[in-house]
Amino acid sequence: MTNTENRTASAELVEISKPVRDIEPIEAQSARTALEEAYTDGLPRLVSMWLMAQRSPNTRRAYARGFRAWSDFCLSVGVHPMAARRPHADAYTRTMEQAGTPNSTAAARLSAASSFYDYAIDLEETEVNPVAKVKRPKIDQDHSDTEGLTEDEMVRLLAEAKKQSARSYALCLLLYTVGLRIDGALGADVSSLGYDAGHKTLTVTLKGGATAKKALPPVTSHALDVYLSGRTEGPLFATRTGARMAEPEAWKMLRRITKRAALPQAASIHPHVLRHCYITHGLDKGVALHIMQDSVDHKDPRTTRRYDRARGRLTNSPAYTVGASIAEKLEDAAV
């Protein structure tokens, strides 16, 4: 066990959690297993119980990532998470700033840690939430860190995906033409496919645990049919062994495809880029903002407007006008 300060998580939690161990969600199980490499007390089980209290698999995954980042910091400074206090949390915030962590990511990590401590307080495992009063980074509601692709670049990406495999092509098309989050796509089963009033559909789980039925355009429905090749059960996107495809595998697949397609985003692209492009390309083609908001399940219209403003700032940037003018004058001066 790593050297830590003062108190640790109660070992009694291991006994308390035994009755529910068999129904531990995969996200909680993975987080517990990873933490058990560093902590031999009740902390891994406490984290697992906290994650089990979250209704949505998406939330469990996000919280697990956030807490793991906080735990890694605590290990780096030699303090047990249960012994951490406000100065440790402030130092954590400064560390993320120095590392260039995006504000949205930093805020999400702090929120995850704060949620954990609130849960621990309810169980009387601690009396202190060291993150509660830490100032959260300001998030610009008009800014998006996601890099976009032009429609021509998307065609190149999809053409390369089709060359690679039927599964790659079907997944990329689904993310782009339906605007799904990657966890929603990978969490679906073959049985989630359906038919409703003339529409081929896919029912997916959204953030927060709600479900939604999505219309599949013909090109995507056909790609899924080719990929499934008659398979009627199991995960919609499966590995060769039949296991559900994991997000890291999808990230690697997408970057491999982008590199082969010789696109400039090869080193930084991620699945959310395809959802981003679904929104911006749809808006470019005249889809009304409120319809797009409903399509991508944004509760707040400001979230969808962020994509709209971001694309306008680039496409209509005065930099193109100023740059073209000076380039012409530079050419004349060279003559």
Side-chain angles (χ1 to χ4, degrees), residues 192-228:
S192 304
L193 292 167
Y195 188 84
D196 188 352
H199 303 280
K200 293 287 187 66
T201 64
L202 176 68
T203 300
V204 296
T205 301
L206 308 177
K207 291 175 65 177
T211 58
K213 186 180 293 185
K214 301 292 185 179
L216 298 176
V219 63
T220 306
S221 178
H222 176 69
L224 285 167
D225 288 341
V226 171
Y227 159 59
L228 292 172

Side-chain angles (χ1 to χ4, degrees), residues 27-335:
E27 302 85 10
Q29 183 184 70
S30 298
R32 173 179 56 77
T33 301
L35 288 169
E36 285 173 344
E37 296 179 3
Y39 302 97
T40 59
D41 64 347
L43 178 66
R45 184 57 62 180
L46 177 58
V47 171
S48 172
M49 293 170 66
W50 161 61
L51 292 173
M52 289 179 67
Q54 314 307 318
R55 292 188 303 172
S56 165
N58 302 336
T59 302
R60 290 196 291 269
R61 277 190 287 268
Y63 274 13
R65 287 194 300 268
F67 186 83
R68 183 59 187 270
W70 165 243
S71 173
D72 287 345
F73 171 79
C74 289
L75 285 170
S76 72
V77 297
V79 61
H80 192 287
M82 301 304 291
R85 294 296 182 262
R86 170 69 183 272
H88 298 113
D90 287 333
Y92 178 51
T93 303
R94 300 291 86 75
T95 299
M96 287 191 288
E97 288 178 356
Q98 293 172 3
T101 303
N103 284 357
S104 57
T105 300
R109 289 176 179 177
L110 291 170
S111 294
S114 185
S115 172
F116 165 75
Y117 286 110
D118 285 343
Y119 183 83
I121 289 172
D122 286 343
L123 292 186
E124 299 183 350
E125 284 295 314
T126 185
E127 297 177 354
V128 178
N129 181 343
V131 188
K133 295 184 178 180
V134 172
K135 293 182 179 179
R136 302 295 196 267
K138 292 183 178 180
I139 300 176
D140 184 355
Q141 295 299 326
D142 292 340
H143 175 70
S144 172
D145 292 319
T146 303
E147 299 175 346
L149 298 173
T150 66
E151 193 170 35
D152 287 343
E153 289 172 332
M154 184 59 68
V155 169
R156 287 163 56 190
L157 186 153
L158 291 171
E160 187 58 43
K162 191 172 186 179
K163 291 179 184 177
Q164 180 166 312
S165 70
R167 184 184 69 170
S168 298
Y169 183 53
L171 178 56
C172 289
L173 264 178
L174 184 63
L175 295 175
Y176 172 60
T177 64
V178 184
L180 295 184
R181 294 182 174 88
I182 184 62
D183 49 12
L186 298 184
D189 295 321
V190 180
S191 60
S192 304
L193 292 167
Y195 188 84
D196 188 352
H199 303 280
K200 293 287 187 66
T201 64
L202 176 68
T203 300
V204 296
T205 301
L206 308 177
K207 291 175 65 177
T211 58
K213 186 180 293 185
K214 301 292 185 179
L216 298 176
V219 63
T220 306
S221 178
H222 176 69
L224 285 167
D225 288 341
V226 171
Y227 159 59
L228 292 172
S229 187
R231 181 161 63 87
T232 58
E233 58 184 18
L236 183 60
F237 293 98
T239 65
R240 293 179 181 177
T241 63
R244 189 176 302 278
M245 186 180 187
E247 286 191 36
E249 186 178 354
W251 280 59
K252 292 177 183 177
M253 176 206 76
L254 185 57
R255 292 197 174 180
R256 184 167 58 248
I257 290 170
T258 309
K259 182 177 181 180
R260 291 178 178 174
L263 295 174
Q265 297 87 345
S268 59
I269 197 168
H270 48 85
H272 191 74
V273 170
L274 276 66
R275 175 178 165 87
H276 175 96
C277 291
Y278 169 75
I279 297 172
T280 56
H281 293 178
L283 293 171
D284 283 339
K285 294 184 182 303
V287 176
L289 192 67
H290 71 280
I291 293 177
M292 184 58 73
Q293 178 194 341
D294 290 342
S295 176
V296 294
D297 306 293
H298 284 159
K299 293 181 180 180
D300 191 332
R302 290 176 298 180
T303 305
T304 316
R305 288 181 63 200
R306 183 190 309 164
Y307 292 87
D308 193 27
R309 285 190 290 264
R311 73 189 176 101
R313 285 178 178 176
L314 292 175
T315 302
N316 302 320
S317 173
Y320 289 114
T321 301
V322 175
S325 176
I326 196 66
E328 183 177 348
K329 289 178 170 56
L330 287 171
E331 287 183 4
D332 292 342
V335 173

